[in-house]
Amino acid sequence: MEKGRLEAFSDGVIAIIITIMVLEIKMPGAHHDTLQSLIPLYPVFICYVISFIYVGIYWNNHHHLMHAVTSVNGAALWANLHLLFWLSIVPLVTKWMGENNFTKWPTVMYGVSLIMCAVAYAILVIILKKHEGPDSLFTKAIGNDRKGRLSIVIYAVAILLAWVNPCISFGLYFVVACIWFIPDRRIERRILDNKE
């Protein structure tokens, strides 16, 4: 199957996810027109920023994946929907964690949503590798996904550490975002090498 519809649908869902996250930030009401009235919003804003970065990272890497594959199949469509499902949970847990100042259970559930996004993305990659075949440009470009596996381990540690100190967990979520902030260059390099 052509990959265009999958890309367009995914882009639309991700745009809606980002829109929902920003709409969930409730500004102070009437007669709260000073900068100090924004101070109580800092946890919500920090959570929005990190979640925006995460959704952006998934959009960016998803774009690279779809650029490298030649086509998709039914399994890839379902795996992509699985990823979009977990990404769609991000606004909910973002709001919960921000409004509760990084307490234990919201921070745990934020981590659960992130680890499930990572697992869903890994499943999508595995299905696309199988569909494209072992000798395909895509499979060679992806190689072994050390960053992806490391991210899942860090998320698991962060979830466990939420029982000790949720701020440590949030710090680890930030570390994973930093690891992925620079897009994965494997696909770009392999495609450029293939064109030469």
Side-chain angles (χ1 to χ4, degrees), residues 26-34 36-41:
K26 304 295 182 215
M27 295 303 289
H31 310 296
H32 296 281
D33 58 354
T34 65
Q36 290 184 339
S37 64
L38 295 175
I39 291 173
L41 292 178

Side-chain angles (χ1 to χ4, degrees), residues 42-109:
Y42 88 90
V44 174
F45 183 71
I46 289 170
C47 289
Y48 167 74
V49 169
I50 190 85
S51 294
F52 183 92
I53 290 168
Y54 265 113
V55 173
I57 287 166
Y58 276 102
W59 175 78
N60 195 323
N61 285 296
H62 188 274
H63 170 75
H64 281 80
L65 278 185
M66 292 301 114
H67 187 70
V69 298
T70 56
S71 64
V72 294
N73 60 9
L77 294 177
W78 281 110
N80 194 67
L81 281 173
H82 181 233
L83 171 62
L84 293 175
F85 170 79
W86 287 107
L87 284 172
S88 72
I89 300 295
V90 171
L92 174 70
V93 291
T94 298
K95 181 178 180 182
W96 192 30
M97 186 170 66
E99 289 184 352
N100 287 286
N101 296 320
F102 310 101
T103 54
K104 179 178 67 177
W105 279 108
T107 304
V108 166
M109 294 311 294

Side-chain angles (χ1 to χ4, degrees), residues 88-136:
S88 72
I89 300 295
V90 171
L92 174 70
V93 291
T94 298
K95 181 178 180 182
W96 192 30
M97 186 170 66
E99 289 184 352
N100 287 286
N101 296 320
F102 310 101
T103 54
K104 179 178 67 177
W105 279 108
T107 304
V108 166
M109 294 311 294
Y110 187 79
V112 168
S113 74
L114 293 180
I115 202 169
M116 292 309 299
C117 286
V119 167
Y121 187 83
I123 291 169
L124 177 60
V125 168
I126 290 166
I127 287 171
L128 289 172
K129 281 171 124 178
K130 184 176 178 184
H131 174 68
E132 292 286 304
D135 297 324
S136 68

